[in-house]
Amino acid sequence: MQWKRPSSRRTVAACNPTLARGIGAWAVALTVGLFLACGAAAHGQTDEKGYNPRACVGLYAWVQDRAKKGTTLWDDLDAVLGEVRAAGFRAVEGFLRDFFGSDERAERTRQLVTKHKIILAGLYSGGKLYEEQAGRKAVASILEQARRAKAYPSLFIDVNPDPLPRGAKKTDEQLATQVRLLNDLGRQLAEMGMQLVIHQHAPEIRHGAREHRYNIRHVDPSVVGFCIDTDWFKRGGEDPLTLTRETGRKIKAVHLRNGKDGVWMETFGPGDIDYEAIAKYLREIEFKGWLSLELAVEKRTRITRGIVENHRLGRAYLESVFLDKPGSGRSRWGGWKGQRTTPIGYFYVDQIDGKWWLIDPDGWAFFCKGVCSVHHVADHCPALGGHSPYERVTKQKYGTPEKFAAAAVKRLWGWNFNTLGAYSISQTWRQGMPYSVILRVGGAEGASWLRGDFPDFFSDSFRRRAEARAMRTCTQLAGDPYLVGYFTDAEPWWGVDPRGMKTMLEAYLALASGSPGKKVAVDFLLGKYKNVASLDKAWGSSFVDRDSLLANARPPALNDVAKRDASEFLRIVVEQYAKICYETIRKYDPYHLVMGCRLLGPVPPEIQRALKLMGALNVLKSYAGVTDEIDQFWFKQGGMQNLLRGFRGYVDVLSINYYAQIPDPDHLRLAYELSGAPVMTSEFGFKAMDSGLPNNKGAGLPVATQKDRAEHFTKYVQSVADLPFGIGYQWFEHADQPAQGRFDGENCNYGLVNIRDEPWELLVTRMTQVNSTLEARHAGRRQD
């Protein structure tokens, strides 16, 4: 199932602004590279060798359960999906007509799967396909409904052709008509990126499995597969393992259910069918499809537990039989095989034994060890006429961005990294290493981390630009299992830092009177104080009435009461930004992680002291905590707490760019608790004076030697691994900056390699050793 190619070169720039500055043949190669990346190469990612099943749950048991309670699955879908998550599942096989039978149903489905963070693995349907006229009508109906589900990548559409009345045997002509219509349906679904699979019940297995065996022989295997149900194999009179073997590599999905003495069990476990033998065969054929737990009960089924507990126990048995046991080594994604949980084909976050992890698409624990800006150009240097000295080296050494990408990723694997960080060139994304993308949603509306500019997040214009950015980028990447997730922006200004000392409330009150954001700010104040007179009394202001408040473009200096109000308003602004980013990403990519906006972390006390002694506050990159005024707003008037609360429910991971010797665990714990999301330190680094670079413009204080860089790296990443809510880091950056300064003057020894593309051997040797130990350390199995 191939995901879409980008439609224009603008997509490259949207993901990484430095890509748009390429020149000549290299700029052309960037565009071609992304086209190739999202085209033929992407298809191969789902065709890798090995046994790599994914696990989901069918909802038929909930159909039965809700019918007993006098309602329906659809009417109670919100509660049902909550129970699915409570049972430990994140992926479901739903019902095509229920979920996508109309635009209204499709929208409700979208809202609920987003709310519960559910993956749609498959959708069940059927039809009278053995009759030409009725069959064509059924195919048209399935396609109409499937088109409403196009936003969900890699779906399987599970079609059970209707049996004849009383299970009669279909004629050869009826079977031929059925197969022809199935092949036609399969081709059209494949064009939408979906996999048609044929399901069967007992009628298709009776008569010596005549219908099933006919289908095996005559369907087009390039567009039609099978969703086998071994329980129905048995009930139809056939040996489950024998018929499974006959279906062979055409199996794309498996329904799992068991019985004892011919009666369905309330959960999935040992019984009439030998699932150990079925699992062994699936390993032999290197099965890569979905294992769908589909419980059901009948009159003689003995019920002793609730539906959630039965599915939880069934999931545990499924995983014990069908999934590889934890052991040693690494997964193909760079995950750690010391721990695992349910695989769903995409990265997600979960807790294992009380520790938060990224989970790789095969279900293995994954601790992010990333490097930012893996890029053949690195930094342009205005002092050198705008060219990049690093690009001159890489162009001569590698020739093309693709060859650079292959070599760079190979080195990173050798140094035990497992993730390409933000700003990495798109050609690196197709080298078999997980990667992250920065969307610059706020940047599309004019926000600038460098200048401290901000857009009106309440405006229709911001929402439109956010949607355009997500549609252009997320649609193309939605089906890629190597994508970990999206950063929405980098270090946006949230008020009160050296880029701009006003609060966000002052900034919004200074907007034009007709702007949506100003109206929100005014309504916030009047909602709190009820009238302007009370506001004037609390603030010491003289606004007089609502109209004058709306018209005023120069708010008064804020007293302590007003600054506390500004802290409260900040949460409203952050929540609006985060909500729009989350919803627009989810509209075009329902599954990949939303990882926040790479917040600026607090400046640690040792850097504050050093900068004050140096008189160097004016050269410090903007961080909360540099001056007493900043510290007062962020840590004593509630600014930091309200900033973090604004992201709650709208990020899967909270990313923080945190330059320090060691990140303060109390700061990160606060970030975790208030945002409700595990934390990634998405940018940090150390620079050494023995590199020969000035190191006088850029985040963090310099250290003396490369040995010191290695020591600081070790302590930093180990401290992140020691946090139960820490899920990894991204080092800034791959290559050193030019000595003459990049676009903003930074001139530091941040790189793993120097400007000549030569590794800093002492540093990368230490990184290789330390990176290999971080997962065990995070799991509490540290050996030092």
Side-chain angles (χ1 to χ4, degrees):
M1 283 158 273
Q2 187 170 322
W3 39 289
K4 294 183 179 179
R5 303 180 180 185
S7 57
S8 75
R9 179 178 164 188
R10 293 180 63 195
T11 301
V12 182
C15 296
N16 185 346
T18 64
L19 300 188
R21 296 196 287 266
I23 57 175
W26 282 65
V28 174
L30 287 172
T31 307
V32 173
L34 187 55
F35 269 78
L36 293 175
C38 298
H43 185 72
Q45 291 179 352
T46 57
D47 294 333
E48 62 282 323
K49 294 181 179 180
Y51 171 72
N52 298 302
R54 291 157 284 169
C56 68
V57 64
L59 298 181
Y60 183 68
W62 277 277
V63 172
Q64 292 183 310
D65 180 77
R66 277 2 188 215
K68 290 178 182 177
K69 296 175 180 177
T71 186
T72 67
L73 171 78
W74 178 250
D75 289 340
D76 207 25
L77 187 59
D78 190 2
V80 167
L81 294 182
E83 291 173 8
V84 165
R85 290 300 309 274
F89 285 97
R90 291 174 176 266
V92 302
E93 179 183 353
F95 297 93
L96 183 59
R97 182 175 298 172
D98 276 359
F99 285 25
F100 295 97
S102 66
D103 291 343
E104 293 75 18
R105 285 177 176 260
E107 175 58 21
R108 182 168 183 251
T109 296
R110 186 192 68 78
Q111 292 175 2
L112 291 178
V113 298
T114 298
K115 173 182 176 180
H116 294 282
K117 299 183 178 180
I118 289 286
I119 280 184
L120 288 180
L123 295 164
Y124 182 87
S125 189
K128 191 181 290 187
L129 297 171
Y130 56 85
E131 289 184 1
E132 185 73 31
Q133 186 173 355
R136 289 191 178 280
K137 184 177 179 180
V139 166
S141 177
I142 291 170
L143 290 172
E144 178 186 5
Q145 294 160 21
R147 289 187 189 98
R148 298 190 183 103
K150 283 180 67 175
Y152 302 89
S154 305
L155 278 170
F156 68 86
I157 304 298
D158 188 0
V159 172
N160 190 174
D162 289 355
L164 290 174
R166 294 180 296 279
K169 185 166 62 175
K170 292 175 183 174
T171 67
D172 288 348
E173 182 180 357
Q174 288 171 324
L175 291 176
T177 297
Q178 181 170 282
V179 163
R180 179 166 42 78
L181 290 171
L182 286 168
N183 285 337
D184 180 55
L185 175 59
R187 282 188 287 272
Q188 294 188 67
L189 289 173
E191 290 174 359
M192 291 189 273
M194 301 177 188
Q195 170 71 64
L196 174 62
V197 293
I198 305 173
H199 188 49
Q200 84 296 315
H201 293 116
E204 298 91 330
I205 306 305
R206 296 189 185 117
H207 316 293
R210 177 174 178 272
E211 181 172 336
H212 182 69
R213 287 180 166 124
Y214 184 96
N215 289 338
I216 292 172
R217 292 193 304 271
H218 292 93
V219 296
D220 179 353
S222 68
V223 293
V224 182
F226 289 84
C227 174
I228 64 168
D229 187 320
T230 51
D231 178 77
W232 287 117
F233 283 172
K234 185 173 182 63
R235 288 183 174 231
E238 296 292 324
D239 177 68
L241 181 58
T242 298
L243 212 49
T244 297
R245 286 182 174 276
E246 286 186 38
T247 314
R249 295 182 183 274
K250 295 177 183 179
I251 300 172
K252 305 299 180 184
V254 181
H255 279 187
L256 300 173
R257 186 191 309 109
N258 213 347
K260 281 188 178 178
D261 301 322
V263 178
W264 283 334
M265 299 158 52
E266 63 176 322
T267 190
F268 181 52
D272 295 339
I273 297 170
D274 182 0
Y275 277 103
E276 297 278 358
I278 300 294
K280 181 180 178 181
Y281 176 69
L282 293 179
R283 283 183 168 85
E284 290 175 9
I285 64 171
E286 298 183 338
F287 175 73
K288 300 173 183 63
W290 285 97
L291 301 168
S292 182
L293 179 65
E294 191 187 49
L295 299 184
V297 298
E298 50 192 340
K299 287 184 179 180
R300 292 188 293 163
T301 302
R302 185 168 174 263
I303 307 297
T304 62
R305 293 178 293 267
I307 192 168
V308 171
E309 180 65 6
N310 276 325
H311 280 84
R312 188 189 66 78
L313 293 172
R315 178 179 61 83
Y317 182 69
L318 181 159
E319 293 177 0
S320 71
V321 173
F322 287 93
L323 302 186
D324 293 337
K325 305 297 188 291
S328 60
R330 303 282 166 178
S331 74
R332 60 198 170 112
W333 314 93
W336 183 55
K337 288 193 172 182
Q339 288 183 314
R340 81 166 308 160
T341 185
T342 309
I344 61 172
Y346 295 92
F347 281 91
Y348 65 98
V349 289
D350 203 357
Q351 286 181 294
I352 302 176
D353 297 334
K355 305 289 181 68
W356 280 96
W357 296 86
L358 286 160
I359 306 299
D360 79 20
D362 291 339
W364 298 108
F366 187 98
F367 189 82
C368 177
K369 298 172 291 191
V371 178
C372 297
S373 302
V374 184
H375 198 300
H376 69 285
V377 174
D379 293 303
H380 292 273
C381 179
L384 297 176
H387 82 262
S388 162
Y390 185 67
E391 181 188 21
R392 287 186 173 180
V393 172
T394 56
K395 185 175 182 180
Q396 182 176 12
K397 186 174 181 179
Y398 302 107
T400 67
E402 290 77 15
K403 290 182 179 178
F404 162 82
V409 169
K410 183 178 180 181
R411 279 195 305 202
L412 291 177
W413 279 125
W415 297 332
N416 285 328
F417 289 99
N418 61 8
T419 309
L420 293 155
Y423 311 116
S424 295
I425 186 176
S426 60
Q427 280 80 355
T428 62
W429 305 347
R430 298 299 150 260
Q431 303 299 325
M433 177 175 275
Y435 66 98
S436 49
V437 170
I438 184 163
L439 293 175
R440 297 182 69 248
V441 177
E445 184 69 358
S448 168
W449 69 268
L450 187 62
R451 299 186 304 271
D453 296 338
F454 77 101
D456 183 348
F457 296 127
F458 298 92
S459 68
D460 290 339
S461 175
F462 175 68
R463 185 178 290 274
R464 285 195 302 270
R465 288 183 184 271
E467 176 130 349
R469 181 58 53 90
M471 180 173 64
R472 187 167 61 241
T473 302
C474 300
T475 302
Q476 297 153 5
L477 301 177
D480 187 1
Y482 281 89
L483 174 61
V484 178
Y486 302 100
F487 299 113
T488 55
D489 277 291
E491 302 177 353
W493 179 79
W494 296 113
V496 194
D497 71 26
R499 296 173 293 181
M501 292 300 295
K502 62 192 173 189
T503 65
M504 191 63 80
L505 179 55
E506 291 172 280
Y508 271 81
L509 288 174
L511 293 174
S513 60
S515 62
K518 181 156 191 173
K519 291 179 180 178
V520 171
V522 169
D523 289 344
F524 161 74
L525 291 173
L526 295 182
K528 181 170 185 177
Y529 288 100
K530 308 305 179 186
N531 56 61
V532 175
S534 297
L535 170 64
D536 284 340
K537 181 178 180 180
W539 278 34
S541 54
S542 55
F543 288 121
V544 180
D545 57 26
R546 187 176 190 275
D547 289 341
S548 66
L549 185 55
L550 281 169
N552 193 303
R554 297 177 63 86
L558 303 189
N559 61 22
D560 287 344
V561 173
K563 287 180 180 178
R564 285 192 291 271
D565 292 341
S567 170
E568 291 180 30
F569 182 70
L570 176 61
R571 178 178 178 176
I572 295 172
V573 175
V574 173
E575 188 172 89
Q576 173 74 359
Y577 164 82
K579 182 174 185 286
I580 288 176
C581 289
Y582 188 81
E583 289 178 350
T584 53
I585 291 170
R586 282 286 167 264
K587 182 175 180 179
Y588 297 101
D589 185 342
Y591 303 148
H592 287 109
L593 297 171
V594 178
M595 303 194 295
C597 62
R598 300 167 68 84
L599 290 167
L600 283 166
V603 170
E606 70 273 9
I607 293 183
Q608 292 186 45
R609 289 193 297 270
L611 289 167
K612 287 176 181 178
L613 289 173
M614 295 161 52
L617 288 178
N618 60 322
V619 300
L620 178 69
K621 198 173 183 180
S622 309
Y623 289 92
V626 176
T627 69
D628 292 339
E629 183 180 350
I630 293 173
D631 188 68
Q632 182 81 11
F633 176 78
W634 287 108
F635 296 104
K636 296 179 182 177
Q637 293 170 333
M640 184 61 67
Q641 288 86 344
N642 281 306
L643 172 72
L644 295 168
R645 289 189 182 105
F647 289 99
R648 193 174 190 93
Y650 299 113
V651 292
D652 304 303
V653 173
L654 189 75
S655 54
I656 304 178
N657 292 359
Y658 204 136
Y659 286 83
Q661 291 185 17
I662 295 175
D664 188 326
D666 291 333
H667 287 162
L668 295 184
R669 185 174 295 105
L670 180 71
Y672 163 65
E673 290 174 350
L674 295 183
S675 71
V679 175
M680 177 190 296
T681 52
S682 45
E683 196 175 299
F684 77 104
F686 301 99
K687 51 193 178 183
M689 295 309 297
D690 68 356
S691 64
L693 291 172
N695 292 314
N696 60 11
K697 183 72 181 293
L701 291 175
V703 297
T705 68
Q706 297 302 314
K707 181 180 179 181
D708 293 327
R709 288 183 85 200
E711 291 292 340
H712 280 78
F713 166 82
T714 300
K715 293 176 182 178
Y716 189 106
V717 298
Q718 287 179 343
S719 72
V720 175
D722 288 342
L723 299 172
F725 48 82
I727 60 169
Y729 71 84
Q730 292 191 1
W731 168 275
F732 186 82
E733 58 187 324
H734 177 255
D736 281 345
Q737 295 170 336
Q740 299 84 356
R742 66 174 193 174
F743 68 94
D744 60 350
E746 287 192 7
N747 52 18
C748 294
N749 166 225
Y750 289 132
L752 306 182
V753 301
N754 63 24
I755 211 76
R756 297 178 298 279
D757 196 47
E758 300 164 342
W760 292 103
E761 290 293 350
L762 194 153
L763 175 66
V764 298
T765 298
R766 176 69 66 84
M767 288 174 158
T768 304
Q769 186 272 322
V770 172
N771 279 338
S772 69
T773 67
L774 292 178
E775 290 89 354
R777 187 182 184 102
H778 186 56
R781 305 177 192 175
R782 51 190 290 184
Q783 298 176 352
D784 56 5

